[in-house]
Amino acid sequence: MIPDASGTLLSLALLQLHLGWSLLRLDPLDGVKSGTSIFAPAGTPAHTIFGLSMLVLSICAAIFVIVGGLLLFVLIRFRQHPSDQNSEREPAQIYGSTQIELSWTVIPIIIVVMLFLATTRVIFSTQHARRPVESLDVTVIGHQFWWEYRYPKLGIVTANELHIPVSNPATPTPTYLTMSSADTDHSFWVPRLAGKTDLIPNRVNTMWIDPEQAGLYLGQCAQYCGTQHAKMLLRVYADSPADFAAWVEHQKQPASQNPQAAEGQAVFQHNACISCHTVAGTVATGKFGPDLTHVGSRDTIASGAVPNTPANLRTFVDNPGHFKPGILMPPMHLNDHDLDAVTAYLVTLK
Amino acid sequence: MATQSPVTAVLDKTQASQPPRLFLATLHEWVTTVDHKKIGLMYIGYALFFLVVAGFEAILMRIQLAIPNNTFVSPQAFNRLFTMHGTTMVFFVGMPILFGFGNYLVPLMIGARDMAFPRLNAFSFWVSAFGGSLLYFSYLGGDGLYGAGSAPDVGWFAYAPLTARVFSPGHSTDYWTLAVLLSGIGNIGTALNIVATTICMRCPGMKLNRMPLLVWLYLVTSMMVFVAVSPLTAAQIMLLLDRYLGSHFFDTQAGGSAVLWMHFFWIFGHPEVYILVLPAFAFANEIIPVFSRKAIFGYPAMVAASVGIGFISLSVWAHHMFTVGMGAGANTFFTLSTMVIAVPTGIKIFNWLATLWGGKIRYTVAMMFSVGFLFQFLIAGLTGIMLSASPFDWQLGNSYFVVAHFHYVLVGAILFMIFAAFYYWYPKMTGHMLDEKLGKWHFWLFLIGFHLTFDFMHIPGILGMPRRIYTYEADRGWMLLNMITSSGAFFQAIATLLFVYNMVWSYFKGPIAGADPWDAWTLEWSTVSPPPAYNFATIPTVESRRPLWDLKHPEDPDTRYE
């Protein structure tokens, strides 16, 4: 038995309403668990956008209830009755009404103007925010398929894991990101901190973030950039001021020299590794791949694709495409002995 | 059924029985035809074929995304799937199916014998169809000689510099470029033809303000095609110059501009949405009045709103570029121009509501699909307003929220109205009714599948899931939503196959339709089904917007509104 059209539209409307309702009160804790919900803002730009989103969502939900309700009413109230099936009586023909049509032109215009003004405030408050003195500069460069972070004033270069200080309302210490791309378009999106900004070759974009709580904020590249777009993951670590200062001190040190890893270092330096990778204080000065000076101190490798364990490192060096098919680093074709040595070396680069 | 009208009485009855034709003769007839109806049907046929193909691609993608870290297809295969799915749906399903209906209906509805330029019409069709074949040939011939699995993987938007030779070696991107270029040439030819036909070929008495709204909307659409598709064609040529003759428009490694491509692409890409949706509105404007037994409410406002949408839609393209760093001023302008579109669109929805008000609504399958359209288009419009607020877009642009939004437009609104148009005009095209019972199964299965897929797709976007990723991490909380979304896709696939089966079955076994099965009012229903090659035995004369209403209701003629 196929249900009656108008009757079952009711259930459709209820489904929509339920979804709209659950959207409006999506549990922020879910967002924290997933780490990427725009409804769990943790920084000023994200908060401002969240406020606007709630306003827009509420207005749109109200319009949906009113217009959708009206539609349902009309569809049920004016359906042809079975008794009327064969009657040739046609309903009264009404060709229009200027007054009624004007009203449903003017009211939407008013709503649009209100929404537009609210939106403009947020656009300008975010894009033209006054920059406090206590702010940190980071240059973000997008690569296929990893992130390069440079701290020009601190002399630090790192990759894939961005460390920044937390910012509090009393003494804001936001981080200003200056963004560009080395190859294709990318987009920097950490939903809990701010909206996304694209990284485009031959162009410099800027944005700012100011996480209010220490912790790890996840995100990922949001502009299709090639085969491995999916695993160009973002990890932003918001550190307390003390932790951040310690991290900076550590990053400024040249690579640790561990005599036990000398053999691995030799393998590293006698292979193509140094064409692409830098290890500060050694002959390795390649710029094409991530800086490996402190790779051992990172939590993940391959731009967040897998945890940084010796086993994963070994597999990665042997065949990078195992974790990330389409990655630009070629398989190194090292024998088992050399693989072990290089892995041992990389692990020591704390 | 209303009284036998004089117009139907003068119908030509000679085409009823013809001797069976040989296959080759039939093939020859179709290949060489310049008849607007045959060309329209060929457009529709090839679009339906590609609808099934692109739907199959969507199913493969949904299987891949159903669970995290799935390895059902490789990353590159997935990227090819979404590129082919998008390109096919826009250029080889949406455009041809809508132009197919336009080709078929516009001359009939204005009482003409054919299009203004029948040979150009055939040329446009064959060029477009060749484009589609070329796109799929790339699966065989993209990289190297018949290297299997080498379709383009640059996305249907083909952002520079990913299409530059350094990032896209081989020929797959060239196949994409040429396919889109050819389809663009075909579309411009057809649009030109529709404009010329509408302006010059109307039957006596059919003033511009008496044209059926469908014809008005096709006129606006066709004008938009000139303005929107030409830049796309130019961009394709520039891309070819970049790839083969050493120019550097979009080659960023040599100083070219990636943003230039975005402007070119979206100055086509955004009006394109309206080029697709206006014909869907056009179908609604014909179907909703007939099945609620009312004249369309506010004809002049409907025309004005459509023309308004046509103009405004040309000034909103950069809302696809809120995140490229255009600055606050540009973001503000494009927020406003995008939000303003809500006004004429709202007028349309309210006028349809007013048309239904006080009517005698008959729930045929065509009407059920139209009702689904109204609902879903309302939702699509509202999420569109949300996205037009550029800060909201900074968060949700390129996320699954956007994917859900535009599938509400392209499937919930446009495809639903295309299905409605099939149930409504199939009897005219073939002389047989589509089976209503199968049609109801089709409707309900598709409706359920559609909402399972695209309702739930909004939420992963809000939870931070970007689009165009072949897989995702298990810890993000996206899995359940993706499972639901993927299961809905299967409902839609089954429903579509049911629809195709219905069309084939009804062609042979469906009840005879007669000239005017729906008791409708426009001129196409005054001739036999299917219409003969010359459409009308005598060219009709009209005195109002609804000539058949006047004939059926001499006591209450439509002429009184003028």
Side-chain angles (χ1 to χ4, degrees):
Chain A
M1 180 58 204
I2 297 167
D4 172 50
S6 53
T8 319
L9 271 170
L10 196 65
S11 50
L12 175 57
L14 287 175
L15 173 71
Q16 301 290 351
L17 276 179
H18 174 75
L19 271 171
W21 183 241
S22 49
L23 271 188
L24 277 173
R25 49 189 305 277
L26 209 62
D27 188 356
L29 284 178
D30 271 351
V32 176
K33 265 182 263 156
S34 86
T36 50
S37 170
I38 70 161
F39 283 175
T44 310
H47 270 298
T48 328
I49 296 172
F50 175 70
L52 179 72
S53 306
M54 280 297 133
L55 173 76
V56 176
L57 259 173
S58 318
I59 291 178
C60 288
I63 297 174
F64 175 73
V65 170
I66 294 168
V67 181
L70 210 60
L71 192 58
L72 263 182
F73 169 75
V74 170
L75 292 171
I76 294 169
R77 166 72 182 75
F78 296 107
R79 69 184 190 277
Q80 185 184 46
H81 290 283
S83 58
D84 209 13
Q85 210 95 57
N86 298 316
S87 151
E88 286 195 5
R89 184 185 56 80
E90 303 268 19
Q93 301 295 304
I94 298 154
Y95 296 97
S97 155
T98 314
Q99 279 158 339
I100 296 176
E101 288 175 80
L102 262 181
S103 74
W104 64 53
T105 310
V106 173
I107 295 171
I109 288 179
I110 295 171
I111 297 175
V112 160
V113 169
M114 277 165 37
L115 273 179
F116 168 67
L117 293 177
T119 307
T120 309
R121 274 175 74 110
V122 177
I123 294 176
F124 278 85
S125 76
T126 308
Q127 292 202 305
H128 283 198
R130 243 168 41 115
R131 181 173 177 164
V133 194
E134 292 294 318
S135 60
L136 175 72
D137 277 304
V138 180
T139 304
V140 183
I141 302 168
H143 293 266
Q144 282 181 325
F145 300 98
W146 58 283
W147 304 94
E148 178 175 354
Y149 300 115
R150 296 173 165 268
Y151 298 68
K153 288 181 190 150
L154 304 174
I156 297 172
V157 178
T158 181
N160 293 330
E161 295 181 357
L162 175 63
H163 283 258
I164 56 172
V166 289
S167 174
N168 61 63
T171 51
T173 49
T175 302
Y176 276 74
L177 305 175
T178 305
M179 323 177 91
S180 189
S181 163
D183 36 55
T184 59
D185 296 350
H186 304 279
S187 195
F188 184 94
W189 187 29
V190 183
R192 293 190 62 204
L193 297 183
K196 62 181 72 62
T197 301
D198 292 354
L199 297 87
I200 296 167
N202 300 341
R203 188 183 172 90
V204 176
N205 281 336
T206 53
M207 68 179 280
W208 57 282
I209 47 178
D210 59 342
E212 61 205 12
Q213 278 178 351
L216 170 63
Y217 299 92
L218 297 175
Q220 70 187 87
C221 179
Q223 181 60 272
Y224 178 60
C225 53
T227 311
Q228 257 307 345
H229 165 56
K231 289 202 175 158
M232 193 167 161
L233 307 175
L234 277 158
R235 300 170 72 84
V236 176
Y237 292 78
D239 300 333
S240 68
D243 285 351
F244 183 71
W247 181 82
V248 168
E249 270 322 298
H250 180 73
Q251 292 292 312
K252 281 180 173 174
Q253 309 299 322
S256 49
Q257 300 283 341
N258 189 330
Q260 283 163 351
E263 190 190 356
Q265 182 172 14
V267 173
F268 187 84
Q269 292 179 353
H270 290 104
N271 278 285
C273 314
I274 55 170
S275 318
C276 295
H277 294 289
T278 293
V279 178
T282 73
V283 295
T285 54
K287 298 288 180 209
F288 198 72
D291 188 304
L292 298 182
T293 309
H294 298 285
V295 67
S297 64
R298 292 180 200 149
D299 289 344
T300 60
I301 53 170
S303 195
V306 282
N308 186 5
T309 64
N312 282 343
L313 261 178
R314 190 181 189 279
T315 312
F316 185 79
V317 174
D318 185 33
N319 179 14
H322 177 77
F323 296 125
K324 290 177 83 169
I327 194 172
L328 298 193
M329 175 170 161
M332 293 316 295
H333 300 297
L334 299 176
N335 59 40
D336 281 350
H337 178 78
D338 285 355
L339 265 178
D340 290 335
V342 167
T343 308
Y345 171 57
L346 292 175
V347 169
T348 62
L349 293 176
K350 293 276 185 190
Chain B
M1 193 65 52
T3 49
Q4 179 81 349
S5 71
V7 176
T8 21
V10 296
L11 286 174
D12 180 282
K13 304 268 198 253
T14 53
Q15 58 91 50
S17 66
Q18 283 173 337
R21 313 183 106 234
L22 291 172
F23 171 73
L24 270 180
T26 314
L27 184 70
H28 183 258
E29 184 191 321
W30 281 85
V31 170
T32 58
T33 187
V34 292
D35 177 10
H36 73 98
K37 296 183 292 299
K38 287 210 171 77
I39 292 172
L41 292 178
M42 286 196 290
Y43 263 120
I44 291 170
Y46 107 73
L48 279 178
F49 169 74
F50 280 124
L51 175 71
V52 173
V53 172
F56 180 65
E57 287 160 357
I59 291 279
L60 294 182
M61 284 191 281
R62 283 318 319 176
I63 294 174
Q64 165 71 13
L65 289 175
I67 54 170
N69 295 316
N70 200 357
T71 52
F72 177 69
V73 294
S74 73
Q76 200 173 26
F78 185 87
N79 297 344
R80 285 173 172 146
L81 284 175
F82 75 67
T83 303
M84 295 296 269
H85 173 76
T87 310
T88 309
M89 279 296 192
V90 172
F91 295 102
F92 304 109
V93 178
M95 295 289 266
I97 209 165
L98 295 168
F99 270 140
F101 274 102
N103 242 303
Y104 197 97
L105 293 172
V106 167
L108 277 170
M109 289 180 115
I110 60 172
R113 292 215 190 276
D114 205 325
M115 294 282 257
F117 309 113
R119 280 161 187 273
L120 175 65
N121 203 14
F123 170 78
S124 306
F125 166 75
W126 289 107
V127 165
S128 301
F130 181 58
S133 329
L134 205 57
L135 185 66
Y136 276 85
F137 186 73
S138 69
Y139 259 117
L140 300 174
D143 297 329
L145 190 63
Y146 303 110
S150 51
D153 61 350
V154 291
W156 89 280
F157 47 95
Y159 269 9
L162 202 57
T163 50
R165 288 195 82 164
V166 56
F167 298 113
S168 175
H171 296 297
S172 57
T173 298
D174 303 314
Y175 278 94
W176 179 85
T177 308
L178 289 169
V180 172
L181 185 69
L182 287 171
S183 109
I185 293 171
N187 291 333
I188 290 172
T190 307
L192 184 96
N193 222 335
I194 288 178
V195 172
T197 307
T198 315
I199 300 296
C200 306
M201 311 274 288
R202 279 167 288 137
C203 68
M206 183 159 293
K207 299 190 288 191
L208 278 179
N209 75 347
R210 283 180 189 160
M211 287 197 312
L213 276 176
L214 181 140
V215 181
W216 258 114
L217 282 159
Y218 266 96
L219 183 63
V220 175
T221 304
S222 303
M223 300 273 204
M224 287 171 68
V225 166
F226 297 155
V227 187
V229 176
S230 310
L232 177 72
T233 308
Q236 304 295 352
I237 292 170
M238 287 157 82
L239 181 57
L240 281 174
L241 292 179
D242 268 14
R243 286 177 65 87
Y244 286 98
L245 293 177
S247 65
H248 302 305
F249 295 109
F250 312 122
D251 180 2
T252 50
Q253 299 291 307
S257 169
V259 180
L260 179 67
W261 172 269
M262 293 182 197
H263 280 295
F264 263 110
F265 187 79
W266 290 119
I267 213 158
F268 151 79
H270 200 81
E272 170 68 13
V273 177
Y274 294 91
I275 288 171
L276 295 172
V277 86
L278 284 179
F281 292 168
F283 302 153
N285 284 333
E286 301 304 318
I287 294 170
I288 289 173
V290 165
F291 292 116
S292 52
R293 309 307 303 160
K294 295 266 311 287
I296 191 86
F297 187 90
Y299 175 100
M302 290 300 241
V303 172
S306 311
V307 175
I309 289 175
F311 274 105
I312 304 169
S313 72
L314 296 171
S315 65
V316 302
W317 77 91
H319 71 211
H320 294 266
M321 298 160 60
F322 280 147
T323 58
V324 300
M326 292 186 300
N331 283 347
T332 308
F333 173 80
F334 286 103
T335 292
L336 180 64
S337 63
T338 307
M339 281 182 177
V340 162
I341 283 220
V343 176
T345 316
I347 292 175
K348 282 180 167 292
I349 289 193
F350 287 121
N351 277 11
W352 285 320
L353 250 174
T355 306
L356 291 162
W357 191 281
K360 231 168 80 173
I361 302 171
R362 285 190 281 164
Y363 285 107
T364 62
V365 177
M367 188 61 177
M368 288 161 74
F369 273 106
S370 309
V371 167
F373 153 81
L374 287 177
F375 243 99
Q376 285 138 207
F377 187 65
L378 174 66
I379 296 166
L382 291 172
T383 50
I385 291 177
M386 296 176 197
L387 287 166
S388 72
S390 68
F392 201 76
D393 184 84
W394 296 337
Q395 281 287 20
L396 290 178
N398 271 346
S399 79
Y400 262 88
F401 189 89
V402 168
V403 181
H405 158 71
F406 74 73
H407 279 91
Y408 259 79
V409 181
L410 294 167
V411 179
I414 297 170
L415 190 59
F416 266 65
M417 271 332 292
I418 288 172
F419 284 141
F422 269 109
Y423 284 93
Y424 186 65
W425 279 294
Y426 185 91
K428 178 51 62 186
M429 292 169 169
T430 63
H432 294 272
M433 306 294 287
L434 276 174
D435 187 79
E436 288 274 307
K437 192 162 179 140
L438 272 177
K440 283 186 176 157
W441 277 102
H442 169 207
F443 172 75
W444 287 111
L445 277 177
F446 202 91
L447 188 82
I448 292 166
F450 171 80
H451 284 277
L452 277 181
T453 300
F454 296 111
D455 267 343
F456 289 94
M457 203 185 264
H458 288 102
I459 303 175
I462 286 171
L463 293 180
M465 179 170 174
R467 63 200 281 208
R468 298 170 188 136
I469 53 171
Y470 72 91
T471 192
Y472 52 92
E473 302 299 310
D475 62 359
R476 299 293 170 92
W478 303 335
M479 177 171 139
L480 180 65
L481 295 159
N482 275 294
M483 289 273 271
I484 298 172
T485 293
S486 294
S487 63
F490 284 94
F491 280 84
Q492 293 179 70
I494 294 165
T496 309
L497 293 179
L498 206 60
F499 165 68
V500 172
Y501 169 76
N502 191 355
M503 293 222 293
V504 176
W505 185 86
S506 299
Y507 184 77
F508 297 105
K509 299 271 177 66
I512 301 292
D516 183 16
W518 309 119
D519 195 6
W521 305 311
T522 38
L523 281 180
E524 77 270 29
W525 305 105
S526 73
T527 185
V528 288
S529 306
Y534 42 87
N535 290 355
F536 301 97
T538 49
I539 291 291
T541 304
V542 300
E543 289 171 347
S544 75
R545 285 172 197 154
R546 296 188 296 167
L548 299 200
W549 170 275
D550 293 349
L551 290 167
K552 292 167 186 172
H553 300 277
E555 78 291 350
D556 179 28
D558 217 9
T559 44
R560 68 188 164 88
Y561 66 80
E562 282 188 278

